[in-house]
Amino acid sequence: MSLFSKFDVLAERRKALNDTGAKPFDVVVERIISPTEAIVNGRKTIMAGTNNYLGLTFDPSCIAAAVDAVTAEGTGTTGSRMANGTFAIHGALERDIATFFGRRSAIIFSTGYLANLGILSAVTDHNDVIVIDGDCHASIYDGCKMSGAEVIRFRHNDADDLAKRLRRLGSRAADALIVIEGIYSMLGDQAPMVEIAAVKREYGGYLLVDEAHSLGVLGERGLVETANEHDSVDFITGTFSKSLGATGGFCVSDLPELELIRISSRPYVFTASMCPSVIASTRAALRVLQDRPELRDKLWRNANRLYEQLRNLGYQLGPHPSPVIAAMVTDIDEALALWTGLLQRGIYVNLVFPPATPKGSYLLRCSVSAAHT
């Protein structure tokens, strides 16, 4: 058995996929035209799978801030925050994020993936237990694995099942870490925040909510805000790569121990820090998010319209409208034909395969933007 024999099955599947003529993993965006258009395969294409919810990637104030920062401070930090990579602008963004969420402190990471990896692996270890929604993102699963903690899954969006799992833990429930998401990235459904917070209050433990896809979408700050459960949530993680149109991740908390993560989280300690231009554009985008609520209104008008039209056409969608709208298809050939046909007609959506998808379905996943007409 060779080093690479583990890839044999994967290679066969990829070849079979390529033989169909569809290459969903090899799409190259040749030129970006706007938040919603690009040149793909030489054709002007509507981008309907980018997570650019508020359309801020081309916002003039964000671009100007990035240009000023790269001119003044260079292209990158060339080091981690613990070594030589902490600039004053990092601290400014952390203060902005903490103030925005009304929390005691914030810590930023180079990506949203690293935010979950860094927090979960630092807060818990092999003595602890993490209870997660079964549909949580891969970054949450990987953070749990890196921590070495015991991991217990509860049924997706089922607060009663969460209560059952915590009840079985007995006294250990008081120190368990519960992890959910604001909006789930595959079907666009929301966590039952009020019900889960009630379970947490009954059995104890700590609650982490990943607001990656809900920041700037559900109210300004996400599901915790719209559900009015600020006091029930101990950690909020998220990313700058969706509504804020950049890259990077964060965690905010009122717990003073958050500061200790700076010296205990390997994804924080050993990763090069965010570059100045990205920090500057993120800070500008955060101001736009607060100053222009009409963007969120437009986003939801677009989301509701697309959801209703696709449902009327007979597609099986997620349980309710959301800026993440995925049509579920059970047959791979149908999924490939639909995806290829859309791309040939100048529309790009995400084609998502099992096991990343719920119930083993194939998803034609759209993400709506406020910038879509």
Side-chain angles (χ1 to χ4, degrees):
M1 186 164 182
S2 72
L3 177 65
F4 298 107
S5 60
K6 65 177 72 71
F7 295 113
D8 290 347
V9 173
L10 186 62
E12 290 174 7
R13 290 175 180 172
R14 178 153 187 163
K15 182 180 183 303
L17 181 62
N18 288 341
D19 287 346
T20 69
K23 296 186 177 182
F25 307 124
D26 299 319
V27 174
V28 176
V29 179
E30 296 151 21
R31 181 163 62 89
I32 302 292
I33 300 173
S34 74
T36 58
E37 288 183 296
I39 301 298
V40 178
N41 296 333
R43 177 196 295 270
K44 182 181 283 189
T45 300
I46 297 170
M47 303 302 287
T50 65
N51 302 321
N52 193 4
Y53 297 131
L54 300 182
L56 296 185
T57 51
F58 276 78
D59 180 85
S61 66
C62 296
I63 292 174
V67 169
D68 289 345
V70 77
T71 301
E73 300 193 58
T75 57
T77 62
T78 68
S80 72
R81 294 282 297 276
M82 290 291 289
N84 62 304
T86 289
F87 292 9
I89 197 169
H90 288 99
L93 176 55
E94 287 178 337
R95 289 189 293 274
D96 288 349
I97 290 292
T99 299
F100 175 72
F101 279 99
R103 297 285 174 163
R104 172 176 176 157
S105 59
I107 180 170
I108 59 172
F109 294 82
S110 300
T111 68
Y113 176 93
L114 287 176
N116 280 332
L117 201 67
I119 294 298
L120 291 167
S121 63
V123 169
T124 60
D125 63 18
H126 66 278
N127 296 307
D128 300 308
V129 59
I130 308 175
V131 186
I132 68 172
D133 185 291
D135 279 6
C136 275
H137 189 265
S139 61
I140 293 171
Y141 275 91
D142 288 351
C144 292
K145 185 176 181 179
M146 186 173 174
S147 76
E150 178 184 355
V151 179
I152 298 173
R153 294 188 298 176
F154 65 94
R155 285 196 297 270
H156 178 53
N157 278 349
D158 190 332
D160 290 336
D161 194 48
L162 170 62
K164 181 173 72 175
R165 309 285 178 178
L166 292 174
R167 190 161 51 245
R168 288 176 178 173
L169 286 173
S171 61
R172 296 182 70 199
D175 285 317
L177 179 62
I178 305 162
V179 184
I180 61 171
E181 299 182 31
I183 290 178
Y184 288 88
S185 61
M186 288 295 101
L187 296 182
D189 48 336
Q190 302 174 24
M193 184 74 240
V194 173
E195 292 83 353
I196 286 175
V199 172
K200 184 248 186 180
R201 285 191 292 270
E202 180 178 357
Y203 292 96
Y206 298 86
L207 179 57
L208 183 153
V209 181
D210 181 352
E211 299 274 26
H213 289 270
S214 42
L215 168 64
V217 173
L218 300 177
E220 287 185 358
R221 297 163 187 83
L223 182 62
V224 177
E225 176 189 65
T226 57
N228 195 27
E229 288 290 354
H230 181 96
D231 294 337
S232 302
V233 177
D234 302 285
F235 303 96
I236 295 174
T237 59
T239 181
F240 305 134
S241 64
K242 314 301 185 214
S243 290
L244 299 180
T247 54
F250 67 89
C251 178
V252 297
S253 178
D254 289 325
L255 297 172
E257 290 83 359
L258 186 69
E259 284 302 307
L260 298 175
I261 287 171
R262 296 187 192 278
I263 57 175
S264 61
S265 172
R266 294 172 68 86
Y268 178 89
V269 172
F270 295 104
T271 301
S273 60
M274 294 172 64
C275 62
S277 58
V278 172
I279 298 172
S281 74
T282 300
R283 296 184 71 200
L286 198 60
R287 291 190 290 271
V288 173
L289 185 157
Q290 297 171 84
D291 293 342
R292 297 186 61 193
E294 68 273 13
L295 291 176
R296 188 164 54 257
D297 294 339
K298 177 71 181 303
L299 169 67
W300 278 100
R301 287 197 300 272
N302 286 343
N304 285 322
R305 180 178 183 187
L306 182 59
Y307 184 91
E308 291 168 8
Q309 295 281 3
L310 290 175
R311 184 180 59 184
N312 290 341
L313 287 169
Y315 287 102
Q316 183 182 356
L317 308 176
H320 45 67
S322 163
V324 177
I325 302 171
M328 289 175 270
V329 179
T330 56
D331 181 75
I332 185 173
D333 293 329
E334 181 184 3
L336 289 170
L338 284 166
W339 182 84
T340 302
L342 285 167
L343 189 61
Q344 290 171 347
R345 288 159 178 80
I347 302 169
Y348 174 79
V349 301
N350 307 127
L351 178 57
V352 191
F353 289 77
T357 58
K359 302 176 182 177
S361 60
Y362 299 87
L363 299 183
L364 291 152
R365 178 186 175 278
C366 309
S367 54
V368 182
S369 173
H372 281 126
T373 63

